[in-house]
Amino acid sequence: MASSPLIATSLPQNQLTTATATARFRLPPPEKLAVLIDNSRSVDEVLQIHAAITRHNLLLHPRYPVLNLKLHRAYASHGKIRHSLALFHQTIDPDLFLFTAAINTASINGLKDQAFLLYVQLLSSEIVPNEFTFSSILKSCSTKSGKLIHTHVLKFGLGLDPYVATGLVDIYAKGGDVVSAQKVFDRMPERSLVSSTAMITCYSKQGNVEAARALFDRMCERDIVSWNVMIDGYSQHGFPSNALILFQKLLAEGKPKPDEITVVAALSACSQIGALETGRWIHVFVNSSRIRLNVKVCTALIDMYSKCGSLEEAVLVFNDTPRKDIVAWNAMITGYAMHGYSQDALRLFDEMQGITGLQPTDITFIGTLQACAHAGLVNEGIQIFESMGQEYGIKSKIEHYGCLVSLLGRAGQLKRAYEIIKNMNMEADSVLWSSVLGSCKLHGEFMLSKEIAEYLIGQNISNSGIYVLLSNIYASVGDYEGVAKVRNLMKEKGIVKEPGISTIEIENKVHEFRAGDREHLKSKEIYTMLRKISERIKSHGYVPNTNTVFQDLEETEKEQSLQVHSERLAIAYGLISTKSGSPLKIFKNLRVCSDCHTVTKLISKITGRKIVMRDRNRYHHFTDGSCSCGDFW
Ligand SMILES: [Zn+2]
Ligand SMILES: [Zn+2]
């Protein structure tokens, strides 16, 4: 930045203009100058006034310290931070107001070290800080330095000041120190909107959405920031339905008006539960409101459409997205990959770098590697994985290894996958092990899966999914001793099988089903439908694959327990509540089992329906008896 010569040079004491020049230019009185500075519309205007003041030797005039302060603020408000701070450093005896203004300027512009330096200078000058000084320096604090400043606040008797307390709550809340935040908040004689919102953020971050909601409901006034924090809190902490209900409440109340952040949070909630109709409605709402369709909103729409199973609409939004950033590209690449459109994902990966010159991030690589894994592109996948570190300098994370392992697993290179996991420089998580064990099962690699199992048990790595898979592997080769061993281990360690939950959205309402569920109002019709399906698919030569049932957990009749996996209930409900021929979209929290996969393929054939199912791993598009995953998932 080219610094202004007016500031860079020392005070022009000896450059006073000639008497004639001064006579031609009459400087307005200081009060008028102060108003002019406040009303300045550009840096040029401020520079001109600054020049005039300097020429008349008024800048550091002890009678007019206000001009100095006003100039300092004007530069800062026009984004000329260096001008602003240079002016401060030229001042011989800055007073409390100038110190506070400088600390504030440094703080809000991210110059934390400078802010602290100024604060220390202020204390050394034996000036007593006031509430504005503290609320300014607090903006530069981490939780640790915030604690130090907190002691000063108490020492100077400003603990109950609403500005200072709000700053403190904010710092503790951001640092996740809910106890300290709560303490300061509880002692506040008057709770500001900002401090209540900070406290709601803090509760949400801890996953305590009940406390957040209770406080939200108690607030007498709420602005859009507090609504956003609450809606986002629900959406990010496993309560997407509550997020959508609250969003609807906001719309019903009519004010404040939702903004970009509100719709991004609501769209994220839609993608989590597959609420495509609601998501579409929000899209229409955005178009008809004053909310800008900026890159963040577009990215949320792309993500929502692709996660809700409508890749076509995701592509339409992507093509219309203005000034796409890396997040938008990532959303589309991941969308293509999830749906098994691997070539399109890889095409976009090249296009992105070629056209925009954007550098891929670790998320981009997860998308592209997933694309390779879903299409079985072993060589391409390995090449991309290696290029990540070598060409782009990005460290591989567990998710990248996950894609690589699933890629090798699909290709049957299980030993290689196992070796990679064992030699990783980080600990493998349950997702990674599940992936290898899943592949072992698919390729009938009993010995290797047993070796892995023993390794896992030896390392004390436990997770319900792995145990279930392991038990299924034993069952598939008729090793019931192995099944019993796993069962005992699970009991010993208190591991409970995660319940399978499937959802389907019918007429804007999301219906949830659990395995063996009889809670639904139309339960009777659902089970009748399931029986009908069962008879029809048997006539198509279907034989239940009872090996996949986790026999020892569900000691009911094997075939019956297969029939009531949650996705089948959701499909049956979809069949009885929608027009014949219309597509069904199902969401499942766990991986679909191979028997349900076979049955869904047959249902798509006999009913002529397109069925899109999102399981924990990927999308399955079932049409006319086959699935887009090519039976690998
Ligand atoms: Zn199943
Ligand atoms: Zn499939």
Side-chain angles (χ1 to χ4, degrees):
M1 186 174 72
S3 65
S4 157
L6 289 165
I7 292 172
T9 52
S10 59
L11 286 171
Q13 306 278 10
N14 50 4
Q15 291 171 21
L16 280 177
T17 43
T18 59
T20 42
T22 317
R24 262 188 271 126
F25 178 78
R26 195 162 277 196
L27 195 70
E31 300 72 31
K32 182 84 196 291
L33 283 171
V35 176
L36 281 175
I37 300 171
D38 279 347
N39 294 342
S40 62
R41 278 164 306 179
S42 67
V43 185
D44 281 349
E45 283 186 24
V46 186
L47 283 167
Q48 279 177 25
I49 305 168
H50 189 171
I53 293 175
T54 310
R55 272 185 16 181
H56 286 83
N57 222 3
L58 278 175
L59 189 60
L60 298 178
H61 201 292
R63 276 176 56 202
Y64 310 115
V66 69
L67 291 179
N68 198 353
L69 180 68
K70 296 257 176 199
L71 280 173
H72 171 90
R73 281 196 189 145
Y75 280 127
S77 73
H78 288 296
K80 296 289 176 193
I81 312 307
R82 268 175 55 186
H83 287 55
S84 176
L85 291 175
L87 195 62
F88 170 85
H89 290 302
Q90 283 180 356
T91 312
I92 296 156
D93 272 321
D95 60 5
L96 170 66
F97 301 103
L98 193 57
F99 257 120
T100 301
I103 293 173
N104 195 46
T105 302
S107 273
I108 57 178
N109 288 289
L111 305 168
K112 295 182 182 180
D113 292 346
Q114 281 237 34
F116 271 97
L117 206 66
L118 290 165
Y119 178 68
V120 173
Q121 275 175 20
L122 172 138
L123 294 180
S124 317
S125 319
E126 295 188 4
I127 297 174
V128 177
N130 67 8
E131 62 272 35
F132 300 110
T133 321
F134 281 117
S135 64
S136 301
I137 188 67
L138 282 170
K139 290 174 196 150
S140 277
C141 287
S142 60
T143 320
K144 203 174 157 195
S145 50
K147 275 192 177 145
L148 289 174
I149 297 293
H150 195 170
T151 59
H152 289 199
V153 167
L154 297 176
K155 193 177 157 217
F156 287 104
L158 290 167
L160 295 179
D161 180 85
Y163 285 105
V164 180
T166 300
L168 285 166
V169 170
D170 192 42
I171 282 167
Y172 288 126
K174 278 192 187 126
D177 184 348
V178 71
V179 179
S180 305
Q182 180 92 58
K183 264 189 194 160
V184 181
F185 185 69
D186 286 347
R187 282 184 202 145
M188 286 175 78
E190 225 176 280
R191 285 160 184 185
S192 63
L193 181 64
V194 180
S195 62
S196 298
T197 308
M199 209 53 229
I200 293 175
T201 317
C202 190
Y203 288 135
S204 305
K205 261 194 185 168
Q206 300 284 313
N208 189 353
V209 287
E210 289 91 9
R213 183 56 190 265
L215 177 56
F216 179 81
D217 287 339
R218 282 201 308 274
M219 285 167 79
C220 355
E221 80 171 309
R222 302 182 197 115
D223 60 1
I224 193 60
V225 181
S226 41
W227 280 90
N228 288 350
V229 161
M230 193 62 237
I231 294 174
D232 194 54
Y234 274 137
S235 169
Q236 299 304 315
H237 293 92
F239 298 89
S241 308
N242 296 39
L244 291 177
I245 294 169
L246 194 62
F247 176 63
Q248 271 150 10
K249 189 171 155 53
L250 168 68
L251 294 180
E253 290 193 5
K255 65 180 184 184
K257 291 271 176 248
D259 62 9
E260 287 83 9
I261 299 171
T262 330
V263 293
V264 168
L267 286 169
S268 156
C270 292
S271 11
Q272 290 174 52
I273 48 172
L276 180 62
E277 290 310 319
T278 314
R280 267 195 198 123
W281 186 88
I282 296 175
H283 191 177
V284 174
F285 168 77
V286 170
N287 282 334
S288 63
S289 71
R290 279 203 197 151
I291 296 170
R292 280 183 311 136
L293 210 53
N294 63 14
V295 66
K296 285 213 169 72
V297 176
C298 286
T299 305
L301 282 167
I302 296 167
D303 190 58
M304 181 277 294
Y305 279 128
S306 63
K307 285 193 178 144
C308 290
S310 181
L311 190 65
E312 304 85 353
E313 281 164 287
V315 175
L316 287 179
V317 177
F318 179 74
N319 290 340
D320 282 343
T321 303
R323 286 185 288 279
K324 297 179 189 83
D325 59 7
I326 185 71
V327 189
W329 286 90
N330 285 350
M332 197 63 246
I333 291 175
T334 313
Y336 274 132
M338 266 196 303
H339 285 268
Y341 290 85
S342 303
Q343 293 301 346
D344 288 298
L346 295 178
R347 173 181 55 80
L348 225 56
F349 178 66
D350 288 338
E351 235 174 75
M352 180 191 87
Q353 296 174 76
I355 298 174
T356 66
L358 283 170
Q359 281 292 305
T361 62
D362 56 335
I363 311 271
T364 326
F365 281 102
I366 296 176
T368 32
L369 286 169
Q370 253 170 12
C372 295
H374 287 170
L377 305 167
V378 182
N379 293 334
E380 287 89 338
I382 291 172
Q383 209 186 334
I384 290 175
F385 184 84
E386 282 170 354
S387 77
M388 200 165 75
Q390 287 164 6
E391 271 179 51
Y392 300 94
I394 296 173
K395 258 174 104 179
S396 23
K397 291 188 181 162
I398 193 100
E399 293 89 345
H400 302 109
Y401 278 106
C403 299
L404 186 67
V405 162
S406 124
L407 175 65
L408 293 170
R410 174 173 188 156
Q413 300 185 23
L414 290 156
K415 283 230 157 68
R416 195 168 165 191
Y418 182 40
E419 285 309 312
I420 287 179
I421 296 191
K422 277 212 296 196
N423 296 322
M424 276 183 345
N425 52 2
M426 64 189 91
E427 227 167 83
D429 63 0
S430 56
V431 182
L432 215 54
W433 287 121
S434 308
S435 167
V436 186
L437 284 172
S439 304
C440 283
K441 189 166 149 268
L442 215 69
H443 291 279
E445 285 271 4
F446 179 66
M447 288 315 287
L448 183 64
S449 56
K450 234 179 93 176
E451 190 189 324
I452 296 175
E454 272 151 24
Y455 172 78
L456 291 182
I457 289 159
Q459 301 281 309
N460 212 11
I461 302 167
S462 51
N463 153 282
S464 73
I466 289 175
Y467 280 94
V468 174
L469 258 169
L470 199 62
S471 167
N472 288 344
I473 289 168
Y474 280 125
S476 68
V477 292
D479 181 353
Y480 293 105
E481 231 172 80
V483 174
K485 205 167 82 185
V486 178
R487 179 191 175 191
N488 286 337
L489 266 171
M490 283 182 82
K491 267 194 185 154
E492 244 171 60
K493 295 180 191 243
I495 292 162
V496 185
K497 193 185 169 193
E498 190 183 341
I501 301 172
S502 295
T503 55
I504 182 166
E505 189 190 28
I506 306 277
E507 283 167 7
N508 280 325
K509 195 165 176 270
V510 176
H511 299 258
E512 196 176 279
F513 297 92
R514 281 154 201 273
D517 201 336
R518 286 183 187 271
E519 303 282 299
H520 198 275
L521 282 175
K522 295 234 166 123
S523 197
K524 222 174 131 195
E525 289 95 324
I526 292 171
Y527 279 87
T528 312
M529 189 61 186
L530 279 175
R531 266 195 301 280
K532 267 194 215 157
I533 294 172
S534 177
E535 277 154 27
R536 285 191 67 188
I537 59 176
K538 269 184 189 158
S539 70
H540 275 74
Y542 161 73
V543 184
N545 172 10
T546 48
N547 280 342
T548 45
V549 192
F550 193 37
Q551 287 109 331
D552 281 287
L553 282 187
E554 295 159 27
E555 286 174 335
T556 47
E557 205 181 324
K558 287 182 200 167
E559 193 183 327
Q560 197 184 335
S561 72
L562 264 182
Q563 280 177 338
V564 292
H565 274 184
S566 62
E567 56 269 54
R568 298 200 193 186
L569 294 169
I571 293 174
Y573 181 62
L575 289 174
I576 59 170
S577 13
T578 54
K579 277 205 303 273
S580 95
S582 56
L584 300 180
K585 291 196 166 81
I586 313 288
F587 290 81
K588 165 125 206 224
N589 65 336
L590 305 176
R591 271 179 190 225
V592 55
C593 79
S594 57
D595 195 68
C596 288
H597 195 264
T598 309
V599 168
T600 311
K601 283 199 289 188
L602 287 168
I603 295 175
S604 77
K605 194 180 167 88
I606 57 172
T607 60
R609 301 250 199 162
K610 192 178 165 190
I611 302 172
V612 181
M613 190 188 289
R614 180 176 115 190
D615 73 359
R616 182 171 272 180
N617 231 27
R618 62 166 297 152
Y619 269 95
H620 302 264
H621 292 251
F622 298 93
T623 350
D624 196 29
S626 64
C627 180
S628 62
C629 73
D631 297 335
F632 185 91
W633 68 96

